[in-house]
Amino acid sequence: SQQGEEDPQALSIQEGENATMNCSYKTSINNLQWYRQNSGRGLVHLILIRSNEREKHSGRLRVTLDTSKKSSSLLITASRAADTASYFCATHGGYQKVTFGTGTKLQVIP
Amino acid sequence: SAVISQKPSRDICQRGTSLTIQCQVDSQVTMMFWYRQQPGQSLTLIATANQGSEATYESGFVIDKFPISRPNLTFSTLTVSNMSPEDSSIYLCSVPETGQTQYFGPGTRLLVL
């Protein structure tokens, strides 16, 4: 299975702190994506990083990708209570199929 | 960006019954995906639904248990048949977006008693 594994499974931080989540995957990829899910609702796409990219930024989000280690990290800077959610990495396989990681549950305490 | 709605948003069902979940997209799409998310777990792809052809099921999922319809390019249904408590999950539909990302519906939260 190409499913990614994320760590930590759960993370609790104070508002204003940075949150880092890591994702490892098993096979070669075209790209890796990060999604957010608020309280069991639908997923929202956050950012996509291609296999030939090493780092990407979007607002308070910073994603890194190390294809040699088959790993990625998502950094959320200056966290807010509204960032409380589950975060999933997802790897893109063939024919539009996306495989999701196990997820990190982030709690930001006001 | 695609806007996706799902009905019902949640339901509580008795074991042995069936529930049909609807997914409506505000634009025409060739491909739609159905996912299951069991409590506290990640998303698992159930099947890919293409308009005009049979759905393609992933390993561990069968048509008799999860029949899918795709009557047109904006609509699909997933039926969870002969339900048991193990079917309690969130069911999500999604459509691909350019750049290989996906838009997701808000999900249907199912509890089977």
Side-chain angles (χ1 to χ4, degrees), chain B residues 18-86:
Chain B
S18 298
L19 176 72
T20 295
I21 302 167
Q22 300 177 9
C23 179
Q24 180 77 51
V25 188
D26 69 342
S27 57
Q28 293 185 337
V29 293
T30 305
M31 215 177 293
M32 294 176 77
F33 302 102
W34 285 99
Y35 287 87
R36 180 177 74 181
Q37 186 178 26
Q38 293 176 302
Q41 303 295 313
S42 184
L43 282 74
T44 302
L45 181 64
I46 297 172
T48 302
N50 291 323
Q51 197 272 333
S53 64
E54 293 285 329
T56 303
Y57 289 83
E58 297 299 306
S59 175
F61 298 96
V62 296
I63 188 171
D64 289 346
K65 176 67 176 176
F66 297 101
I68 288 171
S69 78
R70 186 76 206 276
N72 58 52
L73 290 173
T74 64
F75 187 78
S76 177
T77 67
L78 169 77
T79 298
V80 187
S81 303
N82 188 25
M83 289 184 285
S84 67
E86 292 70 34

Short mmCIF file of all heavy atoms in Angstrom, two decimals, chain B residues 18-86:
data_model
loop_
_atom_site.label_atom_id
_atom_site.label_comp_id
_atom_site.label_asym_id
_atom_site.label_seq_id
_atom_site.Cartn_x
_atom_site.Cartn_y
_atom_site.Cartn_z
N SER B 18 -30.49 -0.29 4.08
CA SER B 18 -29.59 0.32 3.10
C SER B 18 -29.79 1.83 3.08
O SER B 18 -30.89 2.33 3.36
CB SER B 18 -29.85 -0.24 1.70
OG SER B 18 -29.61 -1.63 1.65
N LEU B 19 -28.75 2.54 2.75
CA LEU B 19 -28.80 4.00 2.65
C LEU B 19 -28.16 4.43 1.35
O LEU B 19 -27.07 3.97 1.01
CB LEU B 19 -28.07 4.66 3.82
CG LEU B 19 -28.00 6.19 3.76
CD1 LEU B 19 -29.37 6.79 4.05
CD2 LEU B 19 -26.96 6.74 4.74
N THR B 20 -28.82 5.32 0.64
CA THR B 20 -28.26 5.88 -0.59
C THR B 20 -27.83 7.31 -0.34
O THR B 20 -28.61 8.13 0.12
CB THR B 20 -29.28 5.82 -1.74
OG1 THR B 20 -29.56 4.44 -2.05
CG2 THR B 20 -28.72 6.50 -2.99
N ILE B 21 -26.58 7.58 -0.67
CA ILE B 21 -25.98 8.90 -0.49
C ILE B 21 -25.85 9.56 -1.85
O ILE B 21 -25.39 8.92 -2.82
CB ILE B 21 -24.59 8.77 0.17
CG1 ILE B 21 -24.71 8.06 1.52
CG2 ILE B 21 -23.94 10.14 0.33
CD1 ILE B 21 -23.38 7.61 2.10
N GLN B 22 -26.25 10.81 -1.92
CA GLN B 22 -26.20 11.54 -3.18
C GLN B 22 -25.06 12.54 -3.18
O GLN B 22 -24.76 13.16 -2.15
CB GLN B 22 -27.52 12.29 -3.40
CG GLN B 22 -28.74 11.41 -3.46
CD GLN B 22 -30.01 12.22 -3.61
OE1 GLN B 22 -29.99 13.43 -3.83
NE2 GLN B 22 -31.14 11.54 -3.51
N CYS B 23 -24.46 12.71 -4.34
CA CYS B 23 -23.39 13.67 -4.51
C CYS B 23 -23.69 14.49 -5.77
O CYS B 23 -23.84 13.92 -6.86
CB CYS B 23 -22.05 12.96 -4.65
SG CYS B 23 -20.64 14.05 -4.91
N GLN B 24 -23.78 15.80 -5.59
CA GLN B 24 -24.11 16.71 -6.68
C GLN B 24 -22.98 17.71 -6.88
O GLN B 24 -22.52 18.33 -5.92
CB GLN B 24 -25.41 17.46 -6.37
CG GLN B 24 -25.85 18.44 -7.45
CD GLN B 24 -26.49 17.76 -8.63
OE1 GLN B 24 -27.39 16.94 -8.49
NE2 GLN B 24 -26.02 18.06 -9.83
N VAL B 25 -22.53 17.86 -8.12
CA VAL B 25 -21.45 18.80 -8.45
C VAL B 25 -22.02 19.91 -9.32
O VAL B 25 -22.91 19.65 -10.14
CB VAL B 25 -20.30 18.09 -9.19
CG1 VAL B 25 -19.10 19.01 -9.35
CG2 VAL B 25 -19.90 16.82 -8.46
N ASP B 26 -21.51 21.11 -9.15
CA ASP B 26 -22.07 22.25 -9.89
C ASP B 26 -21.45 22.40 -11.28
O ASP B 26 -21.72 23.38 -11.97
CB ASP B 26 -21.90 23.54 -9.09
CG ASP B 26 -20.45 23.98 -8.99
OD1 ASP B 26 -19.55 23.14 -9.22
OD2 ASP B 26 -20.21 25.15 -8.66
N SER B 27 -20.63 21.46 -11.69
CA SER B 27 -20.08 21.48 -13.03
C SER B 27 -19.94 20.05 -13.53
O SER B 27 -20.00 19.11 -12.75
CB SER B 27 -18.71 22.18 -13.04
OG SER B 27 -17.83 21.53 -12.15
N GLN B 28 -19.77 19.91 -14.84
CA GLN B 28 -19.68 18.57 -15.39
C GLN B 28 -18.28 18.00 -15.18
O GLN B 28 -17.29 18.67 -15.49
CB GLN B 28 -20.02 18.62 -16.89
CG GLN B 28 -21.47 18.97 -17.16
CD GLN B 28 -21.83 18.90 -18.63
OE1 GLN B 28 -20.95 18.99 -19.48
NE2 GLN B 28 -23.10 18.73 -18.94
N VAL B 29 -18.22 16.80 -14.68
CA VAL B 29 -16.94 16.14 -14.43
C VAL B 29 -17.02 14.71 -14.93
O VAL B 29 -18.06 14.05 -14.80
CB VAL B 29 -16.57 16.15 -12.93
CG1 VAL B 29 -16.28 17.55 -12.46
CG2 VAL B 29 -17.66 15.52 -12.08
N THR B 30 -15.93 14.25 -15.49
CA THR B 30 -15.92 12.88 -16.01
C THR B 30 -15.81 11.88 -14.86
O THR B 30 -16.48 10.85 -14.85
CB THR B 30 -14.73 12.69 -16.96
OG1 THR B 30 -14.80 13.67 -17.99
CG2 THR B 30 -14.74 11.30 -17.58
N MET B 31 -14.97 12.20 -13.90
CA MET B 31 -14.62 11.24 -12.86
C MET B 31 -15.12 11.74 -11.50
O MET B 31 -15.00 12.91 -11.17
CB MET B 31 -13.10 11.12 -12.82
CG MET B 31 -12.57 9.76 -12.50
SD MET B 31 -10.78 9.74 -12.57
CE MET B 31 -10.50 10.00 -14.29
N MET B 32 -15.67 10.83 -10.73
CA MET B 32 -16.00 11.12 -9.34
C MET B 32 -15.48 9.99 -8.49
O MET B 32 -15.45 8.83 -8.92
CB MET B 32 -17.52 11.28 -9.16
CG MET B 32 -18.10 12.48 -9.89
SD MET B 32 -19.89 12.60 -9.77
CE MET B 32 -20.07 13.22 -8.10
N PHE B 33 -15.10 10.32 -7.26
CA PHE B 33 -14.55 9.32 -6.34
C PHE B 33 -15.43 9.24 -5.10
O PHE B 33 -15.97 10.24 -4.64
CB PHE B 33 -13.13 9.71 -5.91
CG PHE B 33 -12.16 9.87 -7.05
CD1 PHE B 33 -11.81 11.13 -7.49
CD2 PHE B 33 -11.60 8.76 -7.66
CE1 PHE B 33 -10.91 11.28 -8.54
CE2 PHE B 33 -10.70 8.91 -8.71
CZ PHE B 33 -10.36 10.17 -9.14
N TRP B 34 -15.51 8.05 -4.56
CA TRP B 34 -16.18 7.83 -3.28
C TRP B 34 -15.18 7.28 -2.28
O TRP B 34 -14.48 6.31 -2.58
CB TRP B 34 -17.34 6.85 -3.43
CG TRP B 34 -18.55 7.45 -4.09
CD1 TRP B 34 -18.92 7.33 -5.41
CD2 TRP B 34 -19.55 8.28 -3.48
NE1 TRP B 34 -20.08 8.04 -5.64
CE2 TRP B 34 -20.49 8.62 -4.46
CE3 TRP B 34 -19.74 8.76 -2.17
CZ2 TRP B 34 -21.60 9.41 -4.21
CZ3 TRP B 34 -20.84 9.55 -1.91
CH2 TRP B 34 -21.75 9.86 -2.92
N TYR B 35 -15.15 7.93 -1.10
CA TYR B 35 -14.23 7.53 -0.04
C TYR B 35 -15.02 7.15 1.21
O TYR B 35 -16.11 7.66 1.45
CB TYR B 35 -13.29 8.68 0.33
CG TYR B 35 -12.22 8.99 -0.68
CD1 TYR B 35 -12.46 9.86 -1.74
CD2 TYR B 35 -10.94 8.44 -0.57
CE1 TYR B 35 -11.47 10.17 -2.66
CE2 TYR B 35 -9.94 8.75 -1.48
CZ TYR B 35 -10.22 9.61 -2.52
OH TYR B 35 -9.23 9.92 -3.42
N ARG B 36 -14.40 6.33 2.02
CA ARG B 36 -14.92 6.03 3.34
C ARG B 36 -13.88 6.45 4.37
O ARG B 36 -12.68 6.21 4.18
CB ARG B 36 -15.21 4.53 3.48
CG ARG B 36 -15.76 4.14 4.85
CD ARG B 36 -16.09 2.67 4.90
NE ARG B 36 -14.89 1.85 4.98
CZ ARG B 36 -14.90 0.52 5.02
NH1 ARG B 36 -16.04 -0.13 4.95
NH2 ARG B 36 -13.77 -0.14 5.10
N GLN B 37 -14.34 7.04 5.45
CA GLN B 37 -13.46 7.40 6.54
C GLN B 37 -14.05 6.83 7.82
O GLN B 37 -15.01 7.37 8.38
CB GLN B 37 -13.30 8.92 6.66
CG GLN B 37 -12.29 9.34 7.70
CD GLN B 37 -12.11 10.84 7.76
OE1 GLN B 37 -13.00 11.60 7.42
NE2 GLN B 37 -10.95 11.28 8.22
N GLN B 38 -13.49 5.75 8.28
CA GLN B 38 -13.96 5.14 9.51
C GLN B 38 -13.51 5.99 10.70
O GLN B 38 -12.55 6.77 10.58
CB GLN B 38 -13.44 3.70 9.61
CG GLN B 38 -14.07 2.82 8.53
CD GLN B 38 -13.52 1.42 8.51
OE1 GLN B 38 -12.34 1.20 8.35
NE2 GLN B 38 -14.41 0.44 8.65
N PRO B 39 -14.19 5.85 11.84
CA PRO B 39 -13.92 6.74 12.98
C PRO B 39 -12.44 6.81 13.34
O PRO B 39 -11.80 5.78 13.56
CB PRO B 39 -14.75 6.10 14.10
CG PRO B 39 -15.87 5.42 13.40
CD PRO B 39 -15.29 4.90 12.12
N GLY B 40 -11.92 8.01 13.38
CA GLY B 40 -10.54 8.23 13.76
C GLY B 40 -9.52 7.76 12.74
O GLY B 40 -8.32 7.74 13.04
N GLN B 41 -9.96 7.42 11.56
CA GLN B 41 -9.06 6.87 10.54
C GLN B 41 -8.88 7.82 9.37
O GLN B 41 -9.50 8.89 9.31
CB GLN B 41 -9.61 5.53 10.02
CG GLN B 41 -9.84 4.49 11.09
CD GLN B 41 -8.55 4.05 11.73
OE1 GLN B 41 -7.56 3.75 11.05
NE2 GLN B 41 -8.53 4.01 13.06
N SER B 42 -8.03 7.41 8.45
CA SER B 42 -7.82 8.19 7.23
C SER B 42 -8.88 7.82 6.19
O SER B 42 -9.78 7.03 6.46
CB SER B 42 -6.43 7.90 6.70
OG SER B 42 -6.17 8.72 5.58
N LEU B 43 -8.77 8.41 5.03
CA LEU B 43 -9.72 8.13 3.96
C LEU B 43 -9.27 6.93 3.16
O LEU B 43 -8.08 6.80 2.83
CB LEU B 43 -9.82 9.33 3.02
CG LEU B 43 -10.66 10.50 3.49
CD1 LEU B 43 -9.95 11.30 4.57
CD2 LEU B 43 -11.02 11.40 2.31
N THR B 44 -10.22 6.11 2.80
CA THR B 44 -9.95 4.96 1.95
C THR B 44 -10.84 5.05 0.72
O THR B 44 -12.06 5.22 0.84
CB THR B 44 -10.25 3.64 2.69
OG1 THR B 44 -9.45 3.58 3.87
CG2 THR B 44 -9.95 2.44 1.80
N LEU B 45 -10.24 4.93 -0.44
CA LEU B 45 -11.00 5.01 -1.68
C LEU B 45 -11.86 3.76 -1.85
O LEU B 45 -11.35 2.64 -1.78
CB LEU B 45 -10.05 5.17 -2.86
CG LEU B 45 -10.69 5.30 -4.24
CD1 LEU B 45 -11.52 6.59 -4.34
CD2 LEU B 45 -9.63 5.28 -5.34
N ILE B 46 -13.16 3.99 -2.06
CA ILE B 46 -14.08 2.87 -2.30
C ILE B 46 -14.09 2.53 -3.79
O ILE B 46 -13.90 1.38 -4.18
CB ILE B 46 -15.51 3.21 -1.85
CG1 ILE B 46 -15.55 3.46 -0.35
CG2 ILE B 46 -16.48 2.10 -2.26
CD1 ILE B 46 -16.89 4.01 0.14
N ALA B 47 -14.35 3.56 -4.60
CA ALA B 47 -14.50 3.30 -6.03
C ALA B 47 -14.39 4.61 -6.81
O ALA B 47 -14.55 5.70 -6.26
CB ALA B 47 -15.84 2.65 -6.33
N THR B 48 -14.12 4.46 -8.09
CA THR B 48 -14.10 5.57 -9.03
C THR B 48 -15.31 5.42 -9.94
O THR B 48 -15.53 4.32 -10.51
CB THR B 48 -12.82 5.54 -9.87
OG1 THR B 48 -11.70 5.60 -8.98
CG2 THR B 48 -12.77 6.72 -10.83
N ALA B 49 -16.08 6.48 -10.08
CA ALA B 49 -17.32 6.42 -10.86
C ALA B 49 -17.16 7.30 -12.09
O ALA B 49 -17.05 8.52 -11.99
CB ALA B 49 -18.50 6.89 -10.02
N ASN B 50 -17.17 6.68 -13.25
CA ASN B 50 -17.12 7.40 -14.52
C ASN B 50 -18.50 7.35 -15.16
O ASN B 50 -19.16 6.31 -15.13
CB ASN B 50 -16.10 6.78 -15.46
CG ASN B 50 -14.69 6.99 -14.98
OD1 ASN B 50 -14.36 8.03 -14.44
ND2 ASN B 50 -13.86 5.99 -15.17
N GLN B 51 -18.90 8.46 -15.73
CA GLN B 51 -20.20 8.49 -16.38
C GLN B 51 -20.20 7.60 -17.60
O GLN B 51 -19.25 7.65 -18.40
CB GLN B 51 -20.54 9.93 -16.77
CG GLN B 51 -22.01 10.15 -17.07
CD GLN B 51 -22.37 9.89 -18.54
OE1 GLN B 51 -21.53 10.02 -19.40
NE2 GLN B 51 -23.60 9.52 -18.80
N GLY B 52 -21.21 6.77 -17.71
CA GLY B 52 -21.35 5.91 -18.88
C GLY B 52 -20.64 4.59 -18.79
O GLY B 52 -20.64 3.82 -19.76
N SER B 53 -20.06 4.29 -17.64
CA SER B 53 -19.41 2.98 -17.49
C SER B 53 -19.57 2.50 -16.06
O SER B 53 -19.97 3.27 -15.17
CB SER B 53 -17.93 3.07 -17.86
OG SER B 53 -17.25 3.93 -16.98
N GLU B 54 -19.26 1.23 -15.85
CA GLU B 54 -19.35 0.68 -14.50
C GLU B 54 -18.29 1.31 -13.60
O GLU B 54 -17.20 1.63 -14.06
CB GLU B 54 -19.11 -0.84 -14.56
CG GLU B 54 -20.18 -1.62 -15.29
CD GLU B 54 -21.44 -1.76 -14.46
OE1 GLU B 54 -21.33 -1.81 -13.22
OE2 GLU B 54 -22.52 -1.81 -15.05
N ALA B 55 -18.64 1.45 -12.34
CA ALA B 55 -17.66 1.96 -11.38
C ALA B 55 -16.51 0.97 -11.21
O ALA B 55 -16.70 -0.24 -11.35
CB ALA B 55 -18.34 2.23 -10.05
N THR B 56 -15.35 1.49 -10.89
CA THR B 56 -14.18 0.66 -10.64
C THR B 56 -13.94 0.62 -9.14
O THR B 56 -13.68 1.67 -8.54
CB THR B 56 -12.94 1.24 -11.34
OG1 THR B 56 -13.21 1.35 -12.74
CG2 THR B 56 -11.73 0.34 -11.12
N TYR B 57 -13.99 -0.57 -8.56
CA TYR B 57 -13.90 -0.72 -7.11
C TYR B 57 -12.48 -1.06 -6.69
O TYR B 57 -11.77 -1.81 -7.36
CB TYR B 57 -14.87 -1.81 -6.63
CG TYR B 57 -16.32 -1.37 -6.71
CD1 TYR B 57 -17.03 -1.47 -7.91
CD2 TYR B 57 -16.96 -0.83 -5.61
CE1 TYR B 57 -18.34 -1.03 -8.00
CE2 TYR B 57 -18.28 -0.40 -5.69
CZ TYR B 57 -18.96 -0.50 -6.89
OH TYR B 57 -20.26 -0.06 -6.98
N GLU B 58 -12.11 -0.55 -5.53
CA GLU B 58 -10.82 -0.85 -4.95
C GLU B 58 -10.88 -2.18 -4.22
O GLU B 58 -11.97 -2.70 -3.91
CB GLU B 58 -10.40 0.26 -3.98
CG GLU B 58 -10.22 1.60 -4.66
CD GLU B 58 -9.14 1.58 -5.72
OE1 GLU B 58 -8.00 1.18 -5.41
OE2 GLU B 58 -9.45 1.97 -6.86
N SER B 59 -9.71 -2.70 -3.95
CA SER B 59 -9.63 -3.98 -3.24
C SER B 59 -10.33 -3.87 -1.90
O SER B 59 -10.12 -2.91 -1.15
CB SER B 59 -8.15 -4.33 -3.05
OG SER B 59 -8.02 -5.49 -2.26
N GLY B 60 -11.17 -4.86 -1.62
CA GLY B 60 -11.89 -4.87 -0.36
C GLY B 60 -13.29 -4.30 -0.44
O GLY B 60 -14.05 -4.36 0.53
N PHE B 61 -13.63 -3.74 -1.58
CA PHE B 61 -14.97 -3.16 -1.78
C PHE B 61 -15.63 -3.82 -2.99
O PHE B 61 -14.98 -4.01 -4.02
CB PHE B 61 -14.89 -1.65 -2.01
CG PHE B 61 -14.32 -0.90 -0.83
CD1 PHE B 61 -12.98 -0.57 -0.79
CD2 PHE B 61 -15.13 -0.54 0.23
CE1 PHE B 61 -12.45 0.11 0.29
CE2 PHE B 61 -14.62 0.15 1.32
CZ PHE B 61 -13.26 0.47 1.34
N VAL B 62 -16.90 -4.19 -2.84
CA VAL B 62 -17.60 -4.90 -3.91
C VAL B 62 -18.90 -4.19 -4.27
O VAL B 62 -19.51 -3.52 -3.42
CB VAL B 62 -17.87 -6.37 -3.54
CG1 VAL B 62 -16.55 -7.12 -3.39
CG2 VAL B 62 -18.70 -6.46 -2.27
N ILE B 63 -19.31 -4.41 -5.49
CA ILE B 63 -20.49 -3.72 -6.01
C ILE B 63 -21.76 -4.11 -5.26
O ILE B 63 -22.65 -3.28 -5.07
CB ILE B 63 -20.64 -3.97 -7.53
CG1 ILE B 63 -21.74 -3.10 -8.13
CG2 ILE B 63 -20.90 -5.44 -7.81
CD1 ILE B 63 -21.80 -3.15 -9.65
N ASP B 64 -21.85 -5.34 -4.81
CA ASP B 64 -23.07 -5.76 -4.10
C ASP B 64 -23.26 -5.00 -2.80
O ASP B 64 -24.38 -4.75 -2.38
CB ASP B 64 -23.02 -7.26 -3.81
CG ASP B 64 -23.18 -8.09 -5.07
OD1 ASP B 64 -23.59 -7.52 -6.09
OD2 ASP B 64 -22.90 -9.30 -5.03
N LYS B 65 -22.16 -4.65 -2.17
CA LYS B 65 -22.21 -3.94 -0.90
C LYS B 65 -22.31 -2.42 -1.10
O LYS B 65 -23.00 -1.74 -0.36
CB LYS B 65 -20.95 -4.26 -0.10
CG LYS B 65 -20.81 -3.52 1.21
CD LYS B 65 -21.86 -3.94 2.23
CE LYS B 65 -21.64 -3.24 3.57
NZ LYS B 65 -22.69 -3.56 4.54
N PHE B 66 -21.64 -1.94 -2.12
CA PHE B 66 -21.58 -0.49 -2.37
C PHE B 66 -21.95 -0.17 -3.83
O PHE B 66 -21.11 0.34 -4.59
CB PHE B 66 -20.19 0.06 -2.07
CG PHE B 66 -19.75 -0.07 -0.65
CD1 PHE B 66 -18.89 -1.09 -0.26
CD2 PHE B 66 -20.21 0.82 0.31
CE1 PHE B 66 -18.49 -1.21 1.06
CE2 PHE B 66 -19.81 0.71 1.64
CZ PHE B 66 -18.94 -0.31 2.01
N PRO B 67 -23.16 -0.44 -4.25
CA PRO B 67 -23.53 -0.10 -5.62
C PRO B 67 -23.48 1.41 -5.85
O PRO B 67 -23.87 2.20 -4.99
CB PRO B 67 -24.96 -0.66 -5.76
CG PRO B 67 -25.45 -0.84 -4.37
CD PRO B 67 -24.26 -1.08 -3.50
N ILE B 68 -23.01 1.77 -7.03
CA ILE B 68 -22.83 3.18 -7.39
C ILE B 68 -23.56 3.45 -8.69
O ILE B 68 -23.52 2.65 -9.62
CB ILE B 68 -21.33 3.50 -7.55
CG1 ILE B 68 -20.63 3.53 -6.18
CG2 ILE B 68 -21.11 4.81 -8.28
CD1 ILE B 68 -19.11 3.63 -6.27
N SER B 69 -24.22 4.59 -8.74
CA SER B 69 -24.80 5.04 -10.00
C SER B 69 -24.15 6.33 -10.44
O SER B 69 -23.67 7.11 -9.61
CB SER B 69 -26.32 5.24 -9.86
OG SER B 69 -26.58 6.48 -9.22
N ARG B 70 -24.09 6.53 -11.75
CA ARG B 70 -23.51 7.76 -12.29
C ARG B 70 -24.32 8.11 -13.54
O ARG B 70 -23.86 7.94 -14.66
CB ARG B 70 -22.04 7.51 -12.64
CG ARG B 70 -21.30 8.73 -13.08
CD ARG B 70 -20.93 9.65 -11.94
NE ARG B 70 -20.79 11.00 -12.40
CZ ARG B 70 -19.69 11.51 -12.94
NH1 ARG B 70 -18.62 10.76 -13.10
NH2 ARG B 70 -19.67 12.76 -13.31
N PRO B 71 -25.52 8.61 -13.34
CA PRO B 71 -26.43 8.82 -14.47
C PRO B 71 -26.05 9.97 -15.39
O PRO B 71 -26.45 9.98 -16.55
CB PRO B 71 -27.78 9.10 -13.79
CG PRO B 71 -27.40 9.65 -12.45
CD PRO B 71 -26.14 8.95 -12.06
N ASN B 72 -25.29 10.93 -14.88
CA ASN B 72 -24.87 12.06 -15.72
C ASN B 72 -23.56 12.64 -15.18
O ASN B 72 -22.98 12.10 -14.23
CB ASN B 72 -25.98 13.12 -15.79
CG ASN B 72 -26.36 13.63 -14.42
OD1 ASN B 72 -25.50 14.04 -13.64
ND2 ASN B 72 -27.66 13.60 -14.11
N LEU B 73 -23.12 13.72 -15.80
CA LEU B 73 -21.79 14.25 -15.49
C LEU B 73 -21.76 15.11 -14.23
O LEU B 73 -20.70 15.62 -13.86
CB LEU B 73 -21.27 15.06 -16.68
CG LEU B 73 -20.91 14.23 -17.91
CD1 LEU B 73 -20.57 15.14 -19.09
CD2 LEU B 73 -19.73 13.31 -17.63
N THR B 74 -22.89 15.31 -13.57
CA THR B 74 -22.91 16.16 -12.37
C THR B 74 -23.42 15.44 -11.12
O THR B 74 -23.53 16.03 -10.06
CB THR B 74 -23.80 17.40 -12.59
OG1 THR B 74 -25.16 16.97 -12.80
CG2 THR B 74 -23.32 18.22 -13.78
N PHE B 75 -23.72 14.16 -11.22
CA PHE B 75 -24.43 13.49 -10.13
C PHE B 75 -23.96 12.04 -10.00
O PHE B 75 -23.67 11.37 -10.98
CB PHE B 75 -25.94 13.53 -10.40
CG PHE B 75 -26.79 13.02 -9.27
CD1 PHE B 75 -27.04 13.81 -8.16
CD2 PHE B 75 -27.35 11.75 -9.33
CE1 PHE B 75 -27.83 13.36 -7.13
CE2 PHE B 75 -28.14 11.27 -8.30
CZ PHE B 75 -28.39 12.08 -7.20
N SER B 76 -23.92 11.58 -8.74
CA SER B 76 -23.61 10.18 -8.47
C SER B 76 -24.27 9.78 -7.15
O SER B 76 -24.53 10.64 -6.29
CB SER B 76 -22.10 9.97 -8.37
OG SER B 76 -21.79 8.61 -8.05
N THR B 77 -24.56 8.51 -7.02
CA THR B 77 -25.04 8.00 -5.74
C THR B 77 -24.21 6.80 -5.32
O THR B 77 -23.71 6.03 -6.16
CB THR B 77 -26.52 7.57 -5.78
OG1 THR B 77 -26.66 6.43 -6.64
CG2 THR B 77 -27.42 8.70 -6.25
N LEU B 78 -24.05 6.67 -4.03
CA LEU B 78 -23.41 5.50 -3.42
C LEU B 78 -24.42 4.91 -2.45
O LEU B 78 -24.96 5.62 -1.60
CB LEU B 78 -22.15 5.90 -2.66
CG LEU B 78 -21.53 4.83 -1.77
CD1 LEU B 78 -20.77 3.81 -2.60
CD2 LEU B 78 -20.59 5.46 -0.74
N THR B 79 -24.68 3.62 -2.57
CA THR B 79 -25.57 2.94 -1.65
C THR B 79 -24.75 2.05 -0.73
O THR B 79 -23.88 1.31 -1.21
CB THR B 79 -26.63 2.11 -2.39
OG1 THR B 79 -27.44 2.99 -3.20
CG2 THR B 79 -27.54 1.37 -1.41
N VAL B 80 -25.00 2.15 0.55
CA VAL B 80 -24.40 1.24 1.51
C VAL B 80 -25.47 0.21 1.84
O VAL B 80 -26.50 0.55 2.44
CB VAL B 80 -23.92 1.98 2.78
CG1 VAL B 80 -23.15 1.02 3.68
CG2 VAL B 80 -23.06 3.18 2.41
N SER B 81 -25.25 -1.03 1.43
CA SER B 81 -26.29 -2.05 1.50
C SER B 81 -26.14 -2.93 2.72
O SER B 81 -25.02 -3.16 3.20
CB SER B 81 -26.24 -2.92 0.24
OG SER B 81 -26.37 -2.15 -0.93
N ASN B 82 -27.29 -3.44 3.19
CA ASN B 82 -27.28 -4.41 4.29
C ASN B 82 -26.30 -3.98 5.38
O ASN B 82 -25.34 -4.69 5.69
CB ASN B 82 -26.93 -5.79 3.76
CG ASN B 82 -27.10 -6.87 4.80
OD1 ASN B 82 -27.89 -6.73 5.74
ND2 ASN B 82 -26.37 -7.97 4.64
N MET B 83 -26.56 -2.84 5.92
CA MET B 83 -25.58 -2.20 6.81
C MET B 83 -25.39 -2.93 8.13
O MET B 83 -26.31 -3.55 8.68
CB MET B 83 -26.01 -0.76 7.09
CG MET B 83 -25.85 0.14 5.88
SD MET B 83 -26.22 1.85 6.21
CE MET B 83 -28.01 1.78 6.27
N SER B 84 -24.19 -2.83 8.63
CA SER B 84 -23.83 -3.32 9.95
C SER B 84 -23.13 -2.19 10.69
O SER B 84 -22.72 -1.20 10.06
CB SER B 84 -22.92 -4.54 9.84
OG SER B 84 -21.68 -4.15 9.30
N PRO B 85 -22.96 -2.29 12.01
CA PRO B 85 -22.28 -1.22 12.75
C PRO B 85 -20.89 -0.89 12.20
O PRO B 85 -20.44 0.26 12.33
CB PRO B 85 -22.22 -1.77 14.17
CG PRO B 85 -23.42 -2.64 14.27
CD PRO B 85 -23.56 -3.29 12.92
N GLU B 86 -20.23 -1.86 11.58
CA GLU B 86 -18.90 -1.62 11.01
C GLU B 86 -18.94 -0.64 9.83
O GLU B 86 -17.90 -0.12 9.42
CB GLU B 86 -18.27 -2.94 10.54
CG GLU B 86 -17.90 -3.90 11.66
CD GLU B 86 -19.10 -4.52 12.35
OE1 GLU B 86 -20.13 -4.78 11.67
OE2 GLU B 86 -19.03 -4.75 13.58
#
